[in-house]
Amino acid sequence: MQDFKYKVKTPSEVLVELATQHGMNVHDEEFHKILDDGDELSKFRERFEIPKLCSYPGVDCDITKEEDCVYFCGHSLGLQPKSTESHVQQVLQSWKQNANQCRYVTSLPLVYCDNQAKKGLSELVGCYESEVVAMNSLTTNLHLLMTSFYQPTKYRYKILIEQNAFPSDYYVVASQIRLAGYDEDESLILVKPRQNEELFRMEDIIEVIEKEGDSIALILLPGVYFITGQAFDMKAITEAGHKKGCYVGYDLAHAVGNIELHLHEWGVDFACWCTYKYLNSGPGGIGAAFLHRRFDNTKMNKLLGWWGHKESTRFEMTSDFDFAPGIDSYRLSNPPALLVVCFIASLNEFLEAGGRRLREKRFLLTGYLEYLLKHHFSEPSNTSKVTVDIVTPLKFAERGCQLSIRFSCPVHQVWKELRKRGMIFDIRKPDVMRLTPVPLYNRFYDVYRFVDTLRSVL
Ligand SMILES: Cc1ncc(COP(=O)(O)O)c(C=O)c1O
C-alpha cells in the first residue's frame, strides 16, 4: 500500500482531523456533506441503479417515494450498473443480426469475450493476465482447481479450512475428500477462533500449519470471512503453508473488488471467486479463477473440456488434447456471452475508479460508519438502552468495507423496523447484522441516514 494516503492513521483520527478543520464534530449532521463534497468517486453512484423506497420489497413508510433506499448489501449482491443493459443488448443484437457469425464478428467476438475480462481481473487480484480467467461459477471452479490441488497421499492427505466455513466450500472439500477415498473426519483440520473470541488469530492459524503441515495437502481459506468481514493475512498464510510443503488456495468471494490483493506476488497457488457481490455482475454471474504461472507447465490432474484446449488448434477437433497455458486449460465450455458482458460492464467502472481511490474512500466510508456506531451506541454518549458491538476487526488492514455488528436486543426486531424504512442489509444467524457501505456507489449520506434511522428505531 505504498501509495496509500492514510497509511499511518486510523479512520477515526482522519475523520476527527477533517471535522476539526471545518469546526465540526464527526457526528454532526452537516459533516456528511463535507465528506460527500470531497468524494472523488461520487459520480460513479449515478452509473448504478439504486433501489427506490417506492418499489423495494417490504419497504413501508411515509417518505418521499422517489427517495433512494440505503443499500448496504453489496457483500451479497452488487447493484446493477446502468451500462449493463446496453452491453446485453449488444450481444442480443449481434446474435440477431449475425446469427452464427456473432461469435467472430464485431469488436467483441462472443466466442472470445472472456478474454476481454482478463485485464480488469488481473488488476483486481494483482496478477498477470495469463493467470486469471472468467469461467463457470465459484463452487464449480473450486471443484475444478481442487481436482488438481488435492492429491492426497498416505502421509499428506488433510485439508485445512476454517470452522464454520461457507457451506458450499465445506461441501466441496468434504466431497473431494470422499471422492479421493479418504475419511472426512480424519482428513479435515478446522482452524477456529479462541474460546470466547470470534475473530481468527492469524498467529494461531500459522501455528496449526507449522505443527500439522506435514500431513496437510491443501490449505483452503477465505480472503475475507463472510460472517465477520475479517480479512485473512494471505501473504503470511501462503508463506507458512509453502514452508511446510502444502498447497494454498483461497475463496475470494468477499475479498475481490473489496480489499487489495497481490496474488502473484504472494505466491498463492490458486484462488476462485464469484463476481456478483462487489463486482456487480448480476445474480448467478460468471465466476473467475487464478492459477499462479509457476504451474503453467506442470502436469496436474484436471477435468477437461474443449475450451481448455489451446486456442490456436482447438477447432482441429481431434481427440488429442493440447493444453492451453495455465488457468485457461481449466475452461470447459465456450463462454456464456450474456454473463460475461454483464461482468465487463461493471469491470469498466472498477478500472476507471481505480484501486487507490476505492481504498481511500473505503477507509473513510467504513470508518465513518464505525465512528457513528461507536459514538451513538457504545460510548458514554449512548442515550439508547441498546448497545451495539462491532464484530469486525477495527484495523483497516484486517477488514474490507463490511462491518458486522451485534445488538444487545433481538436483531430480527431491529431488522424489521429498519427494512420498513428502506435500509437494506442482511443478517446471519443467530444474531449478526452485516452492513456494507460500498465505495463505488454508496455515499457518506447513506451512512449518516442509516445510523440516524437506527437511532430512531432503537
Ligand atoms: C464465501 C462463499 N463461498 C462460496 C459461495 C458460493 O458461490 P456460488 O453459488 O457462486 O458457487 C458463496 C456465495 O455467496 C460465498 O459467499
Side-chain angles (χ1 to χ4, degrees):
M1 288 211 293
Q2 276 165 355
D3 59 347
F4 191 63
K5 151 157 126 184
Y6 306 119
K7 215 168 177 179
V8 292
K9 294 188 179 150
T10 66
S12 293
E13 283 167 351
V14 174
L15 289 162
V16 169
E17 265 175 33
L18 210 62
T20 311
Q21 278 166 23
H22 290 83
M24 290 181 186
N25 297 303
V26 176
H27 58 270
D28 289 349
E29 180 171 358
E30 295 297 299
F31 186 55
H32 71 78
K33 290 190 189 141
I34 305 285
L35 294 169
D36 276 320
D37 286 348
D39 175 9
E40 286 180 47
L41 299 178
S42 60
K43 68 176 180 193
F44 285 90
R45 178 177 174 85
E46 292 154 25
R47 302 187 191 174
F48 285 84
E49 301 288 354
I50 314 288
K52 301 280 178 218
L53 291 177
C54 56
S55 51
Y56 193 82
V59 173
D60 168 26
C61 56
D62 187 20
I63 316 177
T64 322
K65 296 302 180 195
E66 273 309 298
E67 209 177 321
D68 294 340
C69 294
V70 169
Y71 193 78
F72 280 174
C73 226
H75 57 267
S76 173
L77 185 70
L79 292 179
Q80 184 182 126
K82 289 186 176 158
S83 61
T84 302
E85 219 167 289
S86 66
H87 277 72
V88 169
Q89 278 306 332
Q90 274 171 31
V91 173
L92 295 178
Q93 181 60 29
S94 181
W95 173 29
K96 185 168 155 185
Q97 193 176 311
N98 306 311
N100 63 332
Q101 287 302 307
C102 74
R103 297 176 177 142
Y104 312 105
V105 296
T106 78
S107 57
L108 186 68
L110 298 185
V111 84
Y112 302 119
C113 60
D114 52 345
N115 289 338
Q116 294 206 10
K118 280 180 181 280
K119 180 172 185 301
L121 278 170
S122 70
E123 286 193 20
L124 283 171
V125 301
C127 69
Y128 292 97
E129 288 184 31
S130 61
E131 291 177 314
V132 75
V133 72
M135 61 177 183
N136 311 312
S137 65
L138 167 52
T139 303
T140 310
N141 290 337
L142 280 173
H143 271 303
L144 291 178
L145 270 300
M146 275 192 63
T147 305
S148 298
F149 283 95
Y150 182 55
Q151 292 299 320
T153 61
K154 190 169 169 204
Y155 300 107
R156 194 186 275 283
Y157 57 93
K158 294 186 181 167
I159 299 182
L160 179 145
I161 59 169
E162 78 280 21
Q163 187 182 42
N164 296 326
F166 192 87
S168 202
D169 295 25
Y170 185 88
Y171 305 147
V172 167
V173 165
S175 59
Q176 288 273 346
I177 289 172
R178 288 193 294 263
L179 267 176
Y182 285 76
D183 179 75
E184 188 182 319
D185 293 333
E186 282 173 19
S187 309
L188 266 182
I189 299 180
L190 301 180
V191 284
K192 40 187 114 156
R194 292 186 189 174
Q195 214 175 8
N196 302 322
E197 293 187 8
E198 51 193 327
L199 297 175
F200 295 90
R201 293 196 188 212
M202 295 304 120
E203 66 268 28
D204 290 356
I205 296 179
I206 286 167
E207 197 182 313
V208 174
I209 295 171
E210 282 167 356
K211 261 198 201 139
E212 312 232 17
D214 292 338
S215 66
I216 298 175
L218 173 66
I219 295 165
L220 182 68
L221 289 170
V224 170
Y225 183 58
F226 73 108
I227 297 178
T228 60
Q230 178 180 16
F232 278 42
D233 187 343
M234 289 178 259
K235 183 172 185 274
I237 292 170
T238 306
E239 245 173 57
H242 285 171
K243 261 195 205 145
K244 297 299 286 187
C246 321
Y247 285 130
V248 187
Y250 293 96
D251 173 341
L252 300 180
H254 292 261
V256 71
N258 182 14
I259 61 169
E260 191 173 2
L261 297 165
H262 297 282
L263 299 186
H264 177 85
E265 190 188 314
W266 297 338
V268 169
D269 294 313
F270 73 93
C272 305
W273 57 96
C274 51
T275 62
Y276 46 78
K277 298 178 186 294
Y278 296 107
L279 300 184
N280 316 306
S281 69
I286 190 91
F290 158 89
L291 177 72
H292 200 282
R293 72 176 181 189
R294 68 174 162 274
F295 297 106
D296 276 5
N297 299 315
T298 310
K299 288 221 173 328
M300 303 178 98
N301 273 4
K302 268 177 211 178
L303 293 170
L304 301 180
W306 72 319
W307 228 252
H309 194 284
K310 200 180 261 173
E311 215 166 271
S312 54
T313 50
R314 180 184 296 146
F315 291 98
E316 288 173 13
M317 300 291 191
T318 69
S319 53
D320 289 336
F321 196 91
D322 195 359
F323 286 82
I327 190 67
D328 284 350
S329 64
Y330 287 83
R331 296 189 289 190
L332 296 177
S333 305
N334 69 98
L338 287 164
L339 294 186
V340 173
V341 295
C342 286
F343 176 43
I344 288 175
S346 167
L347 210 43
N348 291 341
E349 305 298 347
F350 268 91
L351 287 177
E352 191 182 329
R356 182 190 56 78
R357 291 199 298 179
L358 286 164
R359 264 194 307 285
E360 284 172 4
K361 182 165 172 193
R362 167 163 66 85
F363 180 90
L364 292 181
L365 193 64
T366 299
Y368 186 44
L369 179 60
E370 174 195 338
Y371 187 99
L372 293 185
L373 287 172
K374 279 189 187 156
H375 177 80
H376 292 296
F377 304 109
S378 52
E379 286 174 0
S381 47
N382 185 6
T383 49
S384 133
K385 288 200 186 92
V386 176
T387 55
V388 173
D389 284 327
I390 299 179
V391 177
T392 309
L394 297 181
K395 284 193 185 147
F396 178 71
E398 293 172 16
R399 71 181 185 201
C401 49
Q402 173 186 333
L403 283 190
S404 298
I405 61 175
R406 186 171 281 125
F407 293 86
S408 59
C409 66
V411 72
H412 265 89
Q413 249 171 290
V414 187
W415 178 81
K416 237 169 76 186
E417 292 303 318
L418 287 173
R419 174 66 171 268
K420 274 201 271 183
R421 292 162 174 81
M423 306 290 126
I424 318 301
F425 53 86
D426 65 9
I427 48 184
R428 278 285 166 262
K429 281 181 184 170
D431 58 356
V432 168
M433 179 183 284
R434 300 191 296 179
L435 304 170
T436 304
V438 167
L440 199 53
Y441 49 71
N442 279 121
R443 299 169 295 191
F444 291 90
Y445 175 53
D446 293 335
V447 171
Y448 179 82
R449 224 174 109 203
F450 178 85
V451 177
D452 198 43
T453 312
L454 183 62
R455 286 177 72 197
S456 67
V457 160
L458 293 183

